[in-house]
Amino acid sequence: MPFFAGNDTIRELRTALSDPAVHADKIRYRQVLRRVVSLMTDGADMSPLFPDIIKASATADLVQKKLTYLYICNYAAVQQDLALLAINTLQKDCLEPNPMVRGLALRTMCSLRIPSLVEYIQLPLKKGLQDSSAYVRRNAVNGCAKMLHVAPELIQDASMIDQLYGMIRDKDPIVVVNCLQALEEILQAEGGVVVNKNIAHYLLNRVQDFSEWGQCQVLHFLLKYKPSEEEETFDIMNIVDVCLKHSNSGVIMAALKYFLFLTQDMPQIQEQVYNRAKSPLLNIITSGGPELSYVALCHIQYILATSPGLFNRDFKKFFCRYNDPLYVKTKKLEVLTEMATDGTEGDIVDELSMYCTDVSTDLATASIQAIGKIARRLPTSAAHCVGTLLKIHGLQQEHITSAVLMALKDLVLLYPDIVTKVTPLLPNCVELVQEGPAKATLVWLLGQYGQTLPNGPYILEDMIENVASEISVQVKLELLTATAKMFFIRPAECQDMLGCLLEYCIDEDSNMAVRDRALMYYRLLHTDVQQARRVILGAANRPVQIQDSDAPGHEVIDLMDLNTLVPIYGRRRWDVMVEEQKRKQEQTKLTNGTSNETHMAAEVAEAVEEDNLEETISLLSHCSLTPQEFETKWGELDCVTTVHLDYDPTQSPNGLLQKLEAAHIFTMASSPEEATQWKAFLFAVAEMKDETHVVLVELCLDRLAATMQATCKFGADHMEDAVPLISQFGRILRGTITSFS
Amino acid sequence: MSCSMLYILDLKGKVMISRNYRGDIEPSVIDKFMPLLMEREEELQTSPIISTEEVTFVYIKYNNLYMVATTKKNANVALVFSFLYKVVQIFMEYFKELEEESIRDNFVIIYELLDEVMDFGYPQTTDSKILQEYITQEGHKLETQVRPPMAVTNAVSWRSEGIKYRKNEVFLDVIESVNLLVSLNGHVLQSEIVGAIKMRVFLTGMPELRLGLNDKVLFQNTGRGKSKSVELEDVKFHQCVRLSRFENDRTISFIPPDGEFELMSYRLNTHVKPLIWIESVIERHSHSRVEYMIKAKSQFKRRSTANNVEIIIPCPSDADSPKFKTTVGNVKWVPENSAMVWSIKSFPGGKEYLMRAHFNLPSVEREETEGRPPIAVKFEIPYFTTSGIQVRYLKIIEKSGYQALPWVRYITQNGDYQLRTS
């Protein structure tokens, strides 16, 4: 949480930093620096001390150096001019005989992220790549990846890329992995680092040299190379087999994915792979720590969708331990539910029934629902499940009884023969079940099956007497239906109460749905009682089918999604999340306008949120404008917005203009292609709600920062009218420019 | 994986340490973390992964700290968790304890470590042995020439050259932990043995070690099928073991790291008789009292003895005035844990002991329901392994030809040992 560090603190620290007495005492000096860094961590603005810290960085004390460099990295972006002073020391440090210092300096330098300093960094970086110490080389390679966003032209240079490819053969394993990672980022636009047969075989042969993290990454990169022959595939699997034995769960998961990738077209072998991976996965669950256990469970759940039955024999491994955190228990519950088959369902249901008494009412409820789900899926298990549910019901606790009732409701529809077991329970539930949905279920059950109960009507009568205090609409609706149904079967007992209920619902209840249903029943009964009987009772006897939306087989599984967040959230949910993420990013970019436009941009963003696509604009494919007109209009229009865009340096400006033209945004004038300050004037005519509006654009390119700025002027009289126009034009512009392929 | 940032937060969510690795997110995103976590907790939707529109938080809780990694990509979370665990382990090896205090006290060194274990969001050197060689509590002077240890560049990345000891010794501990879960009606639901061979190595130079076990596969290969052997499952080795040789001829050969490390771990899923069996009869008379009758049985060979046995029996949190009666050991009530602990210093095999306990219950019953924690058992049986694994030899070869003494010790202990109660 940022807080204001008073000027006094800054002054005090500054005095301390320049005090010769403190300087002489290394420990004390370090203490002062420590305080600066710790205040910085707390979020206080320590940037005014920048010059003092730069002075402090020229030191022989390595710890002190590290602290100052940490500080410099943090504030360089704010103090760009002063950062130049730091470069001097850093450059000197790059020539130190001690490789630790060289590496540290190089790492720091590349982390500054200031475009104007690139020229100073270039040389040390290139030298670092050839350094004799692996430690320096590692940092240099990572440095390349860091510089990518600051100086793409330096890094995306052919010779640099060649050199990095060459360094994949470095003798230090960490350098190799760093190289792969760096190339992956640098060449992202072209699909990342290329792994051909040679590189793949080379990496495979060294796979054991790599650290655990290296192995994970290498296994990931190997996914880019698909062996052509079966024999080769088997050789590879033999080599990688050791990774499945690794003590790091991350490596095991990466190896598993790699195996599945290799055997994609060999379903039989894939089966074996699953079996091979089973025990490492199960081990993560029992001994990997709760978080990893959770991840493994998510993956098992994901895999189960394609290979149900894979873990059937090990179902006891998924039983909950008392001290498992709730998220692990919940996941285990889900997995157990999906795993239940004809052979194992008995044990699983017994185990699930143990969780009904868990302290967490949510787990208890979930376990009861799970039993219901198993009963629905496996007709053979229904009797056992229902028996268990009835036993659990005996525990006489509100949340348990509620959940049991709701589970039984579905089962009664599927297996009508259990009705005789369920109905006798109902009277006992009345006292316990008070909550909306569960109570509605209870009332429905009473209406549907309560006729056989001697006191059935009187239970309803009690409820009707208290109907005025009932808040749940659902309960009232069910109560109406239940009483009406009961009326047709035991009219003598029910006539009065139905009358009361109808009267209350029609005259006094404020809810429309309740009133409408009451009125409908009233009119039906009023018109023709026999017809009413057919209408109200008739619907109840139709056969039903209940489908669980999350039953296995519903999700589309892509094995390449393993080891990502997809199995954690499930495909569908993840897709939704990605959508949202994209939308959010668009919005923030739109809001990032310069200060005077911020207000408007915010308005635009708001509009986007409010009515996403209510009014659509289209750009006319033919329009013309003379340069003179352009100039006068540019001067006249005062409805302005600025859009900031990323520039992809591999894209030529002319190509960009062509693309824009294809989207009906035409060029008025542009600077020569190679100009450093490249600029273009564009225009378009937008049609919205049968009106046309002229849009003028000035597009400026900043090659160094790889960004573009588009100043758009709109031919609209009122800002308010133009909001959808502005937002949508911005989207079109962004879409066209970034749709680079 | 590429972590954008790594944070260490205290329980309230205040940032104690933050390290920005990639500079691609606003460091202030962490301000959203705590509110989100609270929100999830309220909805009982807790999970160690929280995704927002901008970033994904991947966190672990350790003591009173949150270690949070943020990532912008569709990351491999298993890897991130392994990394966080690893960082915790490194801190533990440096500071013994990992909690708010030790973070504050070792502020500088933590930044130094975070700088080395990860760069630009990718893990680098995380071997704490190696890190300890160039990042130390005392800090360094440049004059003393802190070079990256040879190991950082060595082919053998886990051991530096030039290690010297006056007395060359190797200690080898074979430790087997028993995980057990017993159902209410006395059925064993889960039972497994997790074994580990831990070493403490004090050897000069670059010694080459070879370990011989009574491994079933090896015995069958070499025609000694009849001798007593064990079948090891899921063997995992320390990085130093040459896996190819193990695959070929089951030889465990390696150049060990210096000091303490875990050489290998294995697992046995064979069903063994629970070493200590507990039977419990609990009679609850609501509003007045609850009575326990606990029977403990040692189901291992008579010549072995379990030491420091602790049987932890849960009792209602509103119980009071305990009375205990037992033939051996002593019983203590630990009201803060709602449990009683029956300790037996030494419990020989094939014996059976009994304990009775009596508590008063208040006449007014509590509103909220309590969970039913299981009975847990702690024990240690020296000179004994459930699996029957044996170290047949440990050969130590070094070019200087010194003699070194290997010491071997066997222990079986409890792992997650739970018996459910009604």
Side-chain angles (χ1 to χ4, degrees):
Chain A
M1 226 154 286
F3 68 87
F4 186 71
N7 282 333
D8 293 344
T9 324
I10 303 263
R11 209 171 303 132
E12 185 196 318
L13 286 167
R14 180 172 291 153
T15 326
L17 283 170
S18 48
D19 184 351
V22 180
H23 254 284
D25 185 349
K26 198 178 76 189
I27 303 295
R28 254 179 86 191
Y29 197 68
R30 218 186 262 172
Q31 287 291 341
V32 178
L33 283 174
R34 194 198 130 134
R35 230 187 116 206
V36 174
V37 174
S38 107
L39 283 165
M40 178 178 96
T41 311
D42 284 344
D45 184 15
M46 290 284 121
S47 60
L49 291 173
F50 205 83
D52 307 86
I53 300 289
I54 287 178
K55 260 181 247 155
S57 69
T59 169
D61 178 11
L62 194 56
V63 175
Q64 184 180 333
K65 213 181 244 317
K66 283 180 180 171
L67 281 174
T68 54
Y69 283 168
L70 182 74
Y71 173 95
I72 290 170
C73 285
N74 211 9
Y75 287 120
V78 195
Q79 301 271 1
Q80 299 218 359
D81 314 331
L82 289 172
L84 188 61
L85 299 174
I87 278 287
N88 205 353
T89 322
L90 283 166
Q91 272 180 323
K92 241 186 264 161
D93 280 352
C94 281
L95 302 170
E96 270 285 327
N98 185 338
M100 291 297 292
V101 180
R102 291 205 301 274
L104 176 68
L106 200 55
R107 184 162 63 208
T108 311
M109 221 191 275
C110 294
S111 304
L112 292 177
R113 301 185 186 97
I114 301 172
S116 57
L117 299 181
V118 171
E119 49 178 317
Y120 302 98
I121 299 173
Q122 202 168 347
L123 190 69
L125 185 62
K126 285 195 171 149
K127 272 174 80 182
L129 288 174
Q130 291 156 357
D131 201 284
S132 58
S133 157
Y135 184 76
V136 180
R137 288 200 303 278
R138 287 172 192 174
N139 286 317
V141 173
N142 278 343
C144 291
K146 286 179 199 167
M147 296 301 287
L148 176 66
H149 302 285
V150 189
E153 72 288 341
L154 170 69
I155 302 299
Q156 281 169 334
D157 168 72
S159 68
M160 183 66 110
I161 290 172
D162 280 348
Q163 186 172 10
L164 286 174
Y165 266 116
M167 286 176 76
I168 293 181
R169 306 257 169 200
D170 198 284
K171 68 175 196 294
D172 180 69
I174 296 187
V175 171
V176 176
V177 178
N178 286 356
C179 259
L180 289 167
Q181 283 154 351
L183 282 168
E184 178 76 6
E185 296 205 15
I186 294 166
L187 302 173
Q188 202 174 24
E190 297 152 40
V193 59
V194 177
V195 179
N196 58 22
K197 189 169 179 171
N198 278 339
I199 296 182
H201 283 197
Y202 159 77
L203 290 174
L204 282 163
N205 285 327
R206 287 194 65 177
V207 84
Q208 283 192 51
D209 294 352
F210 299 117
S211 70
E212 46 203 313
W213 321 111
Q215 288 188 2
C216 287
Q217 292 290 8
V218 165
L219 287 169
H220 174 69
F221 287 119
L222 282 169
L223 295 172
K224 290 169 178 256
Y225 169 71
K226 176 113 193 162
S228 45
E229 289 158 37
E230 215 164 86
E231 202 178 325
E232 192 186 348
T233 310
F234 287 124
D235 286 344
I236 293 178
M237 289 204 281
N238 278 331
I239 294 174
V240 183
D241 194 61
V242 292
C243 294
L244 276 179
K245 293 206 181 95
H246 206 283
S247 57
N248 184 315
S249 312
V251 178
I252 296 174
M253 302 281 272
L256 168 63
K257 183 174 178 178
Y258 186 52
F259 270 117
L260 292 174
F261 160 79
L262 288 173
T263 55
Q264 251 169 348
D265 311 321
M266 304 182 240
Q268 276 173 326
I269 312 258
Q270 197 155 39
E271 199 69 18
Q272 288 175 25
V273 171
Y274 276 129
N275 281 318
R276 183 80 184 71
K278 227 162 73 175
S279 92
L281 269 176
L282 288 171
N283 287 348
I284 301 176
I285 292 176
T286 39
S287 52
E291 291 88 1
L292 273 172
S293 161
Y294 176 76
V295 175
L297 282 165
C298 291
H299 278 82
I300 286 176
Q301 199 180 15
Y302 199 71
I303 291 171
L304 275 177
T306 45
S307 336
L310 182 63
F311 290 94
N312 278 2
R313 284 183 50 204
D314 310 283
F315 68 94
K316 284 187 180 165
K317 296 259 180 193
F318 297 92
F319 286 1
C320 295
R321 293 260 169 174
Y322 182 74
N323 28 4
D324 282 338
L326 188 61
Y327 55 82
V328 170
K329 282 185 179 169
T330 323
K331 253 299 152 251
K332 281 186 172 173
L333 203 80
E334 286 172 22
V335 176
L336 277 172
T337 316
E338 280 170 35
M339 279 175 55
T341 59
D342 278 339
T344 57
E345 105 282 343
D347 287 336
I348 291 181
V349 170
D350 288 346
E351 177 69 14
L352 289 175
S353 71
M354 298 294 303
Y355 308 149
C356 298
T357 52
D358 198 277
V359 217
S360 154
T361 52
D362 290 73
L363 188 74
T365 314
S367 69
I368 294 168
Q369 282 166 356
I371 295 175
K373 224 183 255 181
I374 293 174
R376 291 204 294 273
R377 195 157 47 84
L378 301 168
T380 45
S381 74
H384 181 60
C385 290
V386 172
T388 312
L389 286 173
L390 296 179
K391 219 186 293 161
I392 297 168
H393 169 81
L395 291 169
Q396 295 286 327
Q397 282 189 12
E398 183 180 352
H399 67 275
I400 294 178
T401 307
S402 303
V404 168
L405 274 180
M406 282 156 93
L408 285 174
K409 182 198 75 179
D410 292 341
L411 296 179
V412 164
L413 292 172
L414 271 179
Y415 312 113
D417 48 318
I418 64 168
V419 170
T420 48
K421 289 187 196 152
V422 175
T423 22
L425 292 182
L426 299 177
N428 306 332
C429 302
V430 179
E431 281 292 302
L432 271 172
V433 177
Q434 295 299 332
E435 212 190 337
K439 196 169 176 186
T441 309
L442 173 65
V443 176
W444 181 86
L445 282 167
L446 280 168
Q448 188 75 1
Y449 307 105
Q451 321 86 358
T452 50
L453 292 171
N455 61 341
Y458 305 107
I459 300 173
L460 290 178
E461 190 171 22
D462 284 345
M463 290 184 180
I464 291 168
E465 272 166 22
N466 298 320
V467 73
S469 55
E470 177 63 58
I471 27 170
S472 159
V473 173
Q474 209 190 344
V475 171
K476 284 191 259 191
L477 289 173
E478 291 296 348
L479 192 57
L480 271 168
T481 313
T483 318
K485 283 180 189 163
M486 191 73 93
F487 166 73
F488 289 113
I489 294 161
R490 295 166 71 167
E493 293 152 285
C494 295
Q495 192 168 6
D496 281 352
M497 61 173 96
L498 180 61
C500 288
L501 182 63
L502 288 175
E503 193 184 332
Y504 168 80
C505 290
I506 294 168
D507 290 346
E508 288 173 52
D509 203 274
S510 55
N511 186 284
M512 276 305 158
V514 175
R515 265 176 65 188
D516 283 355
R517 186 174 292 189
L519 273 172
M520 186 183 80
Y521 285 163
Y522 176 75
R523 288 178 188 141
L524 268 172
L525 288 164
H526 196 70
T527 325
D528 181 347
V529 178
Q530 280 317 308
Q531 285 288 5
R533 181 194 177 93
R534 277 232 317 279
V535 172
I536 294 169
L537 280 189
N541 299 322
R542 252 192 319 162
V544 277
Q545 262 193 328
I546 299 163
Q547 188 98 50
D548 288 321
S549 57
D550 55 346
H554 272 250
E555 297 241 350
V556 189
I557 303 299
D558 182 354
L559 289 174
M560 288 305 104
D561 284 337
L562 292 181
N563 275 348
T564 65
L565 287 171
V566 177
I568 309 285
Y569 288 105
R571 179 86 251 174
R572 265 176 296 175
R573 201 164 144 215
W574 175 249
D575 285 343
V576 172
M577 284 164 66
V578 170
E579 261 326 288
E580 269 170 21
Q581 223 164 330
K582 274 193 199 140
R583 242 201 16 232
K584 177 91 179 184
Q585 273 164 9
E586 296 269 300
Q587 277 176 26
T588 36
K589 273 192 189 164
L590 224 59
T591 352
N592 273 347
T594 42
S595 58
N596 40 349
E597 273 94 36
T598 321
H599 177 60
M600 200 182 88
E603 249 179 28
V604 173
E606 242 173 59
V608 172
E609 228 162 296
E610 266 170 28
D611 46 6
N612 213 340
L613 276 171
E614 213 164 285
E615 285 157 313
T616 39
I617 64 161
S618 56
L619 300 181
L620 297 186
S621 55
H622 293 287
C623 59
S624 59
L625 206 66
T626 63
Q628 284 78 20
E629 281 174 326
F630 188 100
E631 222 172 284
T632 36
K633 275 205 192 293
W634 185 263
E636 274 168 21
L637 299 178
D638 52 6
C639 175
V640 188
T641 182
T642 315
V643 182
H644 293 265
L645 300 156
D646 287 331
Y647 172 62
D648 184 338
T650 54
Q651 177 96 324
S652 79
N654 281 349
L656 202 67
L657 292 178
Q658 275 168 15
K659 223 156 55 176
L660 286 167
E661 186 142 355
H664 309 317
I665 302 173
F666 305 98
T667 313
M668 174 61 58
S670 70
S671 27
E673 176 111 325
E674 56 285 343
T676 30
Q677 295 280 318
W678 187 85
K679 228 181 208 190
F681 289 96
L682 313 164
F683 68 96
V685 176
E687 189 176 29
M688 181 179 80
K689 286 194 285 182
D690 304 323
E691 278 179 58
T692 53
H693 305 266
V694 174
V695 187
L696 307 179
V697 185
E698 182 197 37
L699 192 62
C700 301
L701 169 64
D702 184 354
R703 284 184 199 264
L704 229 50
T707 54
M708 279 187 281
Q709 182 180 334
T711 314
C712 312
K713 296 198 172 189
F714 298 90
D717 302 329
H718 298 290
M719 206 64 157
E720 292 80 7
D721 296 346
V723 168
L725 176 66
I726 293 168
S727 71
Q728 288 198 34
F729 185 77
R731 217 175 299 154
I732 292 172
L733 198 65
R734 186 184 307 286
T736 318
I737 289 176
T738 48
S739 74
F740 160 74
S741 53
Chain B
M1 65 184 264
S2 70
C3 286
S4 293
M5 284 192 80
L6 199 75
Y7 300 91
I8 301 177
L9 310 182
D10 67 8
L11 267 189
K12 290 188 200 102
K14 185 177 170 296
V15 180
M16 300 181 70
I17 300 276
S18 75
R19 182 74 176 83
N20 192 344
Y21 285 113
R22 287 178 70 89
D24 59 353
I25 56 164
E26 274 299 311
S28 59
V29 289
I30 197 66
D31 296 343
K32 290 191 187 155
F33 173 73
M34 254 314 154
L36 273 170
L37 190 67
M38 305 288 237
E39 196 181 289
R40 301 277 153 109
E41 245 157 43
E42 232 155 72
E43 294 167 14
L44 290 147
Q45 293 283 316
T46 46
S47 99
I49 301 149
I50 300 179
S51 296
T52 70
E53 279 113 344
E54 298 140 83
V55 291
T56 298
F57 296 108
V58 181
Y59 72 95
I60 59 174
K61 199 177 164 201
Y62 193 89
N63 285 343
N64 47 7
L65 298 169
Y66 289 100
M67 309 262 303
V68 189
T70 56
T71 162
K72 272 185 89 170
K73 301 200 171 153
N74 187 357
N76 176 352
V77 273
L79 186 54
V80 181
F81 282 130
S82 313
F83 180 75
L84 290 176
Y85 287 149
K86 186 78 200 183
V87 173
V88 169
Q89 190 197 330
I90 294 171
F91 287 168
M92 291 287 283
E93 276 167 48
Y94 266 89
F95 322 129
K96 302 291 168 280
E97 288 281 318
L98 182 59
E99 46 176 18
E100 264 188 68
E101 274 292 282
S102 57
I103 297 279
R104 265 186 242 290
D105 293 349
N106 297 288
F107 184 79
V108 174
I109 213 163
I110 285 177
Y111 269 116
E112 279 189 71
L113 285 170
L114 289 181
D115 224 26
E116 295 300 330
V117 293
M118 186 173 257
D119 192 15
F120 203 50
Y122 298 113
Q124 305 286 313
T125 309
T126 56
D127 196 322
S128 48
K129 297 267 151 30
I130 292 168
L131 287 168
Q132 270 162 3
E133 287 181 46
Y134 65 109
I135 298 177
T136 58
Q137 298 302 69
E138 296 83 44
H140 301 285
K141 257 190 176 164
L142 207 59
E143 294 87 70
T144 54
Q145 282 298 317
V146 196
R147 299 192 160 271
M150 280 309 287
V152 179
T153 51
N154 237 0
V156 182
S157 66
W158 54 87
R159 188 179 178 95
S160 300
E161 278 172 48
I163 296 171
K164 275 200 184 69
Y165 285 100
R166 270 181 44 209
K167 197 171 173 191
N168 289 299
E169 282 180 312
V170 182
F171 297 90
L172 213 139
D173 288 344
V174 181
I175 301 168
E176 293 192 343
S177 312
V178 185
N179 292 338
L180 182 79
L181 182 63
V182 178
S183 79
L184 206 55
N185 41 20
H187 290 301
V188 177
L189 296 176
Q190 294 169 9
S191 155
E192 62 177 7
I193 298 158
V194 182
I197 298 187
K198 293 190 176 164
M199 296 189 78
R200 272 173 301 148
V201 178
F202 307 104
L203 293 174
T204 307
M206 278 284 176
E208 174 76 46
L209 270 59
R210 231 166 64 208
L211 176 70
L213 299 171
N214 56 340
D215 172 15
K216 191 167 180 182
V217 183
L218 177 68
F219 275 27
Q220 275 165 357
N221 289 351
T222 51
R224 273 179 294 183
K226 278 184 201 124
S227 323
K228 218 176 134 198
S229 59
V230 290
E231 193 174 352
L232 304 172
E233 292 166 49
D234 272 322
V235 192
K236 287 180 193 162
F237 289 107
H238 185 270
Q239 194 190 7
C240 66
V241 177
R242 294 187 189 89
L243 289 167
S244 47
R245 285 205 62 186
F246 182 73
E247 291 290 302
N248 287 340
D249 54 10
R250 304 289 279 194
T251 316
I252 302 167
S253 73
F254 55 99
I255 298 172
D258 192 39
E260 209 175 318
F261 73 102
E262 187 178 300
L263 177 70
M264 62 182 278
S265 70
Y266 55 91
R267 179 178 302 266
L268 291 169
N269 272 321
T270 41
H271 224 72
V272 285
K273 223 174 187 188
L275 297 170
I276 294 188
W277 184 252
I278 309 286
E279 278 168 33
S280 60
V281 180
I282 305 172
E283 272 177 67
R284 217 180 293 253
H285 307 272
S286 310
H287 315 303
S288 68
R289 65 191 195 279
V290 56
E291 285 165 347
Y292 294 83
M293 205 266 296
I294 309 289
K295 204 198 291 176
K297 231 158 108 182
S298 54
Q299 310 192 107
F300 43 86
K301 289 197 182 97
R302 274 170 197 285
R303 57 168 189 273
S304 292
T305 302
N307 292 337
N308 304 323
V309 179
E310 278 187 8
I311 302 163
I312 300 139
I313 306 138
C315 57
S317 58
D318 51 358
D320 60 77
S321 328
K323 277 181 221 128
F324 304 114
K325 224 170 39 203
T326 172
T327 45
V328 275
N330 61 320
V331 192
K332 240 186 12 213
W333 180 39
V334 193
E336 62 270 29
N337 298 341
S338 305
M340 55 191 137
V341 180
W342 179 15
S343 335
I344 302 163
K345 266 261 161 299
S346 118
F347 197 149
K351 285 269 197 271
E352 197 176 297
Y353 296 134
L354 203 71
M355 190 272 281
R356 284 174 191 279
H358 175 285
F359 288 89
N360 284 347
L361 288 176
S363 52
V364 185
E365 214 167 321
R366 289 156 32 108
E367 282 287 310
E368 67 263 39
T369 47
E370 280 181 18
R372 292 184 190 158
I375 294 177
V377 186
K378 292 183 184 169
F379 59 86
E380 230 180 64
I381 310 174
Y383 317 113
F384 171 81
T385 53
T386 326
S387 64
I389 194 173
Q390 270 176 347
V391 174
R392 289 168 46 237
Y393 59 82
L394 179 67
K395 286 185 184 148
I396 302 156
I397 304 152
E398 217 278 331
K399 56 176 185 277
S400 62
Y402 58 72
Q403 286 294 312
L405 276 181
W407 302 89
V408 184
R409 195 159 63 149
Y410 300 93
I411 298 177
T412 294
Q413 61 187 26
N414 65 288
D416 191 3
Y417 203 98
Q418 300 186 352
L419 300 99
R420 289 181 178 163
T421 58
S422 54

